[in-house]
Amino acid sequence: MKRNFRSAFLVASLLALSMVPAIGAETQSGKSAMAQTVAETVNVNSASAEQIAHILKGVGAKKAALIVEYREAHGPFKSLDELKAVKGLGDKLLSANADKIRFK
């Protein structure tokens, strides 16, 4: 009986130890994915419409194209409030993306 218990304990210990590196690797990839997400920002004064649409949540190709058109017609944006002048961009959308928008 003691022998079976020791064998079972040994097998369980080895299984548990073999899972630790996998858990650590998963955590590391999760951290790098989170850092990448946080680091993704877009300069609305120099980015292409494709870049803007890719980074900003809720902004598709049409709204991104309007941002670029407005920028080309009126000059660079200086604040989120100025972005409200673009058709389809309101407080809710800009608030949701405020941490992703840069002006320089």
Side-chain angles (χ1 to χ4, degrees):
M1 177 97 169
K2 285 185 179 182
R3 187 174 205 192
N4 288 342
F5 179 73
R6 286 183 193 163
S7 296
F9 182 74
L10 180 62
V11 170
S13 297
L14 290 174
L15 285 173
L17 288 174
S18 68
M19 294 176 74
V20 171
I23 293 169
E26 184 178 303
T27 303
Q28 289 299 324
S29 66
K31 285 181 183 176
S32 63
M34 182 184 285
Q36 184 179 21
T37 302
V38 171
E40 281 191 296
T41 61
V42 63
N43 182 335
V44 292
N45 290 321
S46 61
S48 67
E50 292 81 18
Q51 292 168 323
I52 294 170
H54 176 74
I55 303 281
L56 300 183
K57 186 176 182 178
V59 176
K62 289 182 182 180
K63 285 182 187 174
L66 290 173
I67 291 171
V68 172
E69 287 175 23
Y70 191 93
R71 176 183 76 205
E72 290 173 352
H74 301 282
F77 296 100
K78 294 178 183 153
S79 68
L80 288 175
D81 283 335
E82 288 184 13
L83 276 168
K84 290 180 195 176
V86 177
K87 184 179 179 180
L89 300 183
D91 289 329
K92 187 175 179 181
L93 183 72
L94 293 173
S95 293
N97 288 293
D99 60 332
K100 297 178 184 179
I101 298 172
R102 291 182 297 119
F103 299 98
K104 291 184 181 183

